[in-house]
Amino acid sequence: MTSIRFPSPMRVVVRDWSNANHVLFLGRETTLVDTGYGDCFADTLARLHDPEVLGERRLDRIVNTHGHSDHIGGNAALKRLYGSRISVPEGEAAHFAAWDTRALWLDYADQKAERFVHDDVLRPGEVVEMGGMDWQALAAPGHDMDALVFYCPEERLLISGDALWANGFGVVLPSEGQQRLAATRATLEMIARLDVRATIPGHGAPMADTGGALERAFARVEAFEADPGRMARNCVRVMLMYALMHRRRLKLADLPAYVQRIDVHREYNEAHFRLPPERYAEMLVGDLEKAGAARRENGWLVPA
Ligand SMILES: [Zn+2]
């Protein structure tokens, strides 16, 4: 793996699939991009307290790439602790203000996050100063229609959130006319026009080969364009896997009732699969097993 050098005021904390990566900037002001999942806050804080990261300093500002539970989960607790100012993408502001748990994929997808109050908004096209560097906030709709990515032309660095990973991007919901998928493609095209030496994705290690990541992401878009059924199936499988990671286990006997209760599953089953809940649940479990993501154990579904 190529080692990537970051400017000295910048700290990249790589997390996991339940928690988005953190990018911390130590400047005149300290700024943290994305705050992890709420249930994992103790771990998030331990990582921030590392003397090589934030240490004893105060966290002045939080910036979110978008409004999902694994990116905003630490917002409320960090604000309580440090009085941090919270800046959110302009398009998400109404969702946060109303705490729209459907738009934020919270109870809608069996995810949790503590409610917080944001202080200001970031508009697409705006330049945000972080760690003494100028970062352009660029609209990156698709996975989240209101997401932003942050690009520093001087350093040729990109913070891509869930818009671009090493192998794809965050789950894209099938939608009427596939606007979300079209937006995903347009966002990748926008990123392809940037001069980038390294990308820090929302999940996974920072990558020097942004071109390779884009190629894989475009291939995924094409596969979804060719087969909307596959896209819907991928979407519900990913949603169940995220819930499973946070719940740690799900009782197999309860799954038919679960998929009836959680909106994303009930609605996508009605729209795309039209299966009795038992068979729909069985399909999801089978898909997760086949992907090597989960397994059955004494009547429970557990992450593999
Ligand atoms: Zn996301």
Side-chain angles (χ1 to χ4, degrees):
M1 207 173 75
T2 353
S3 74
I4 298 164
R5 286 194 25 247
F6 293 110
S8 59
M10 203 172 157
R11 302 284 184 279
V12 177
V13 181
V14 174
R15 296 293 300 270
D16 46 37
W17 291 99
S18 305
N19 292 272
N21 293 336
H22 311 294
V23 187
L24 178 73
F25 292 94
L26 302 165
R28 197 173 34 81
E29 242 193 0
T30 56
T31 302
L32 180 68
V33 178
D34 288 342
T35 62
Y37 196 77
D39 283 355
C40 308
F41 183 68
D43 191 14
T44 300
L45 201 56
R47 286 158 190 266
L48 286 178
H49 280 160
D50 183 324
E52 293 294 303
V53 184
L54 183 65
E56 300 288 302
R57 287 192 68 171
R58 203 182 88 98
L59 180 64
D60 297 309
R61 188 184 194 187
I62 291 163
V63 165
N64 291 123
T65 55
H66 65 291
H68 292 155
S69 57
D70 51 330
H71 296 254
I72 60 165
N75 282 18
L78 286 170
K79 185 170 185 167
R80 232 177 356 254
L81 190 62
Y82 294 109
S84 319
R85 171 168 121 247
I86 301 178
S87 306
V88 301
E90 182 183 36
E92 303 276 17
H95 304 151
F96 291 133
W99 205 245
D100 181 342
T101 60
R102 184 183 175 90
L104 298 171
W105 293 5
L106 294 175
D107 53 1
Y108 172 68
D110 191 25
Q111 299 279 311
K112 282 184 295 178
E114 187 184 346
R115 187 170 184 167
F116 63 89
V117 177
H118 67 270
D119 297 276
D120 46 49
V121 300
L122 301 170
R123 293 178 185 80
E126 188 173 316
V127 173
V128 194
E129 191 258 279
M130 298 191 283
M133 292 167 269
D134 283 343
W135 293 79
Q136 299 173 353
L138 303 172
H143 161 73
D144 182 312
M145 293 304 279
D146 301 300
L148 295 173
V149 296
F150 299 99
Y151 175 61
C152 178
E154 201 179 322
E155 294 289 343
R156 296 162 56 229
L157 292 173
L158 177 71
I159 298 170
S160 63
D162 290 350
L164 179 66
W165 297 339
N167 280 299
F169 37 78
V171 62
V172 176
L173 298 185
S175 57
E176 206 69 49
Q178 295 286 42
Q179 301 98 328
R180 286 170 181 266
L181 191 55
T184 302
R185 176 181 277 286
T187 290
L188 296 173
E189 285 165 352
M190 179 278 289
I191 292 173
R193 287 191 295 271
L194 303 173
D195 177 16
V196 178
R197 81 173 160 89
T199 295
I200 303 152
H203 302 269
M207 47 205 189
D209 184 16
T210 302
L214 282 166
E215 231 171 83
R216 292 184 288 277
F218 277 120
R220 173 162 291 212
V221 168
E222 266 157 45
F224 285 157
E225 283 166 346
D227 188 351
R230 172 175 164 182
M231 183 172 163
R233 197 153 166 173
N234 175 72
C235 166
V236 287
R237 185 184 72 208
V238 169
M239 292 298 196
L240 183 65
M241 191 58 211
Y242 264 83
L244 179 62
M245 286 193 298
H246 297 303
R247 287 180 173 270
R248 296 194 173 83
R249 58 182 196 168
L250 286 162
K251 200 169 197 161
L252 287 162
D254 294 344
L255 273 184
Y258 175 90
V259 297
Q260 284 286 85
R261 182 162 52 83
I262 303 301
D263 290 343
V264 70
H265 293 294
R266 195 186 52 254
E267 291 174 13
Y268 282 99
N269 186 22
E270 276 167 19
H272 297 276
F273 308 101
R274 296 180 198 88
L275 293 171
E278 293 74 21
R279 281 192 48 214
Y280 172 83
E282 185 56 35
M283 174 189 86
L284 287 182
V285 171
D287 281 0
L288 287 177
E289 281 179 321
K290 233 181 288 164
R295 60 189 160 79
R296 291 170 223 245
E297 196 180 85
N298 306 321
W300 296 86
L301 181 67
V302 296

